[in-house]
Amino acid sequence: GTRYNKIGSVIEKYVKKRGYETSKDFVAHGIGRTFHTKPFILHCENNENNDLMKPGHVFTVEPMICEGTADYVMWPDKWTAATKDGKRAAQFEHTLLVTETGVEALTGKLDSSPVQFWENKDTRFDYK
């Protein structure tokens, strides 16, 4: 299996190549008997030794992509974050299941939804 820290490497390379930054402060997580559980997955290049992906594992990927700095301020509601420089940022989340043959997105998808790069064998990254 592939180490979870490879996810951050792929995201950061993809984002930086396009002139954006990804937050190092907000992480993805495993989903199990407890909703937010290990592994905690950084969305940037890192050396975290947080296990190998194995069939049956369920986890999220939810990077915050920023036009400028990824440094942030929290609003008084303690939920909303904004970039310190006030530039735009976007955050999204996918829940993924590791299978014997790859990864399946569990988040809502319609037949008319666009194919993501990791779903297309010609464009996905293969770390085997």
Side-chain angles (χ1 to χ4, degrees):
T2 301
R3 290 211 171 275
Y4 281 99
N5 67 350
K6 297 294 182 189
I7 294 170
S9 299
V10 170
I11 291 170
E12 186 169 42
K13 285 177 189 168
Y14 185 88
V15 167
K16 281 192 171 231
K17 188 174 168 181
R18 288 155 177 80
Y20 299 98
E21 190 171 329
T22 184
S23 173
K24 295 166 179 52
D25 296 300
F26 296 93
V27 300
H29 54 85
I31 297 177
R33 287 188 174 92
T34 304
F35 181 62
H36 292 102
T37 190
K38 292 180 182 178
F40 296 103
I41 303 163
L42 297 170
H43 299 107
C44 58
E45 185 84 32
N46 68 88
N47 293 317
E48 294 288 314
N49 185 9
N50 55 2
D51 206 6
L52 296 172
M53 293 181 213
K54 296 178 187 152
H57 285 188
V58 179
F59 63 95
T60 67
V61 174
E62 46 188 298
M64 183 193 313
I65 310 301
C66 307
E67 275 189 335
T69 183
D71 295 335
Y72 70 96
V73 294
M74 289 300 288
W75 286 14
D77 64 9
K78 299 192 185 326
W79 181 257
T80 307
T83 58
K84 281 188 175 179
D85 61 9
K87 292 186 178 179
R88 291 183 284 186
Q91 189 272 336
F92 62 92
E93 180 173 345
H94 281 290
T95 301
L96 305 168
L97 166 67
V98 180
T99 67
E100 292 288 343
T101 58
V103 176
E104 179 183 341
L106 300 179
T107 39
K109 193 163 170 124
L110 304 172
D111 290 338
S112 60
S113 296
V115 174
Q116 302 298 323
F117 74 87
W118 64 82
E119 298 172 308
N120 182 333
K121 67 179 178 69
D122 295 326
T123 57
R124 73 175 174 231
F125 294 93
D126 192 357
Y127 283 100
K128 293 181 182 178

